[in-house]
Structure formats: structure tokens, C-alpha cells
Amino acid sequence: MEQKEIYLLITSVSVTFLVFSISLIALFLLYHKRKDYYQKEITKTKIEIAEQTLRNISWEIHDNIGQILSTLNLYSYKVQEEAPVELKPKVNELQDLIQTAITEVRSLSKALNTEYIKNVGLIKSLELELARFERLKFMDTQLTVDGTPFIIPDDKELVLLRIIQEFFSNSLKHARATKMEIAFIFNGRDLTITVKDNGVGYDSTAVLGTGIINMRNRAKLIGAFINLDSEINKGTRLEITYRKKTTDNVA
């Protein structure tokens, strides 16, 4: 075989190998891109289903339980008029309890209603949630905001709220926390949200629970990052970092 033919053969093999390698890399990148896309779509669909379920529950609470309590409240005034003098203080206590129940049902309905949350915004929704914890004597709370807030799209604010509510739920159900602190720090295009409790904590090296996995999946969906830090008997700290996107509305 002549030298020229050998050179052409080597060149052909090299080009073929190069094309094959590039094709493999392209397929690999495409696979992971599609995999990430499908995972995001699945997560997004799950969140949309969950939000619709919460919206339906909110309507049921407002329309059914709220209506029953309102009717009961009206009956209590009738009972108050006809009750003997010695029983009127007890009826007054009953009326106060009914009013408290109506207030809490309305508050819970708002916390679950997606449209209401979009109207009042993330920070106001959290203020209402913390006020409810205070009223019910669940825990002492504190919320601070530093820096100049910027506009975050409604759908992303909702995701951030659900992440924080998941943390609330874990703190109340498992951590037995008596104090909750939330800090918003706006710095240019960056937002850092820190949420910490004084609960029993957990072993951060243990297998992740469903709640924590849900929080991370939600954060990934909007391009945010979360970090959870906890130690036994030293509470838990959640940090969410979010960078304002160029596609976000300008404040």
C-alpha cells in the first residue's frame, strides 16, 4: 500500500472516529437536557396538581365550614337573647370561641388559596401566616426585610412560599419549635431568605425525607438553591437563594 493511501486511510479513520465521538457527546448532552426537561415538567405538573387541590380545599373550607360557623354564630345570638341571666356569661364565651374559629378558618383558607397569595404577595402572605401562629400560641415569630425588594413573578413567589410553608410544617409537627425567625435580604439582583427555628433538629447526614426532597425539587424548578443545616437539639436553618432573572418584571 502506497504512503498516500495509508495517509488517506488514517485520515478517514480519524475523521470517522471524531464524528462518532462528537455524535456520542451530542447524544449524551441531548439525553441529559431532555431528562432535566422532563423532570422539570413532571415536577411542575405535580405542583400544579397540588396547587389545584389546595385551591379546592380552600374553597371547601370557606364555603362549607365557614358557612356552618356563620350560621352557628347567628344561632348563638338567638340563644343569648333567650338564655337565663346565669347562663349568659357562658353563651358569651361560646360566641367568642365561634368568632375565633371563623377568624382562623378564614385565615387558613387564605393561606391555601393560590389566587389570594398572588394578590397579596410573598412577604404579606408570610406575615399573615406568622400572625396566625402567634394567635394560636404555636410559637413566637419574627420577620425582617433588609434591602430594596424587587418584583418576583407570581408563580415563583408561590413556589418560594410553599417551600417556606413546608419548613413551617416540619417545625410544627416534628421539631416542636417554639420560635421562628425569617429574614429577607435583597442585594441587587439577589435575594437570600433565611428561616430558622429552635426545635429539636435532626441528623443532617440521615436519609432525606419527602418534605425536604419536595423543597429541593420546587427550588430547582425556579432556578433557586436551598441549603438546610441542622443539628440535634440545636434547631434547623433553611437558606434559599434566588437571583432575579432578566425575564422577571422590572420593579
Side-chain angles (χ1 to χ4, degrees):
M1 185 179 293
E2 295 182 2
Q3 186 175 359
K4 185 177 180 179
E5 293 177 338
I6 294 174
Y7 174 77
L8 289 174
L9 179 60
I10 294 174
T11 302
S12 299
V13 171
S14 300
V15 170
T16 302
F17 179 77
L18 181 61
V19 171
F20 178 72
S21 300
I22 292 174
S23 299
L24 280 179
I25 294 172
L27 286 172
F28 178 79
L29 293 175
L30 181 61
Y31 166 76
H32 279 278
K33 185 177 181 180
R34 288 189 174 181
K35 181 181 178 183
D36 289 341
Y37 171 78
Y38 289 134
Q39 286 178 338
K40 284 185 177 181
E41 285 300 307
I42 290 172
T43 302
K44 184 178 179 180
T45 301
K46 287 180 179 178
I47 290 175
E48 288 173 351
I49 293 172
E51 289 301 331
Q52 183 60 50
T53 301
L54 290 175
R55 195 180 298 117
N56 291 341
I57 293 173
S58 171
W59 292 337
E60 289 296 323
I61 289 174
H62 182 272
D63 294 342
N64 294 336
I65 300 178
Q67 186 61 42
I68 291 171
L69 287 172
S70 295
T71 303
L72 185 60
N73 189 43
L74 291 174
Y75 275 118
S76 72
Y77 285 101
K78 183 66 175 177
V79 172
Q80 172 73 352
E81 292 175 359
E82 300 178 358
V85 175
E86 64 272 14
L87 291 180
K88 287 187 182 294
K90 293 294 183 183
V91 177
N92 288 335
E93 290 181 14
L94 176 63
Q95 288 177 326
D96 289 341
L97 286 173
I98 294 172
Q99 287 295 338
T100 299
I102 290 173
T103 299
E104 295 308 321
V105 163
R106 287 174 178 170
S107 178
L108 180 60
S109 176
K110 290 175 181 178
L112 297 176
N113 191 312
T114 302
E115 297 306 318
Y116 178 81
I117 292 168
K118 288 181 178 179
N119 286 335
V120 302
L122 173 61
I123 294 177
K124 182 62 177 178
S125 295
L126 286 172
E127 288 175 344
L128 293 171
E129 191 93 348
L130 296 180
R132 187 166 65 91
F133 292 161
E134 294 271 4
R135 284 197 308 272
L136 295 174
K137 298 186 179 348
F138 284 163
M139 60 176 70
D140 296 325
T141 65
Q142 180 181 2
L143 189 152
T144 59
V145 179
D146 292 323
T148 304
F150 52 74
I151 293 175
I152 302 173
D154 292 342
D155 56 339
K156 294 180 180 178
E157 276 201 326
L158 183 60
V159 171
L160 290 172
L161 177 64
R162 295 308 185 201
I163 292 173
I164 296 171
Q165 286 178 328
E166 185 72 45
F167 185 89
F168 287 166
S169 178
N170 290 337
S171 294
L172 290 170
K173 289 192 299 185
H174 308 300
R176 300 192 294 276
T178 59
K179 187 175 183 180
M180 183 76 67
E181 297 178 2
I182 305 178
F184 281 74
I185 300 176
F186 292 89
N187 183 16
R189 293 175 56 199
D190 296 320
L191 166 63
T192 302
I193 307 172
T194 302
V195 190
K196 57 183 179 179
D197 66 29
N198 65 341
V200 298
Y202 65 92
D203 181 2
S204 57
T205 63
V207 178
L208 298 180
T210 303
I212 296 176
I213 293 174
N214 288 339
M215 291 163 68
R216 290 188 171 172
N217 285 339
R218 286 176 182 267
K220 186 177 180 182
L221 188 65
I222 61 171
F225 300 91
I226 70 170
N227 181 57
L228 275 165
D229 183 28
S230 184
E231 291 185 47
I232 301 297
N233 297 323
K234 291 188 177 180
T236 303
R237 182 178 183 273
L238 166 68
E239 183 176 277
I240 308 171
T241 55
Y242 173 81
R243 166 157 284 203
K244 183 180 180 181
K245 310 297 187 295
T246 55
T247 53
D248 291 351
N249 293 328
V250 179

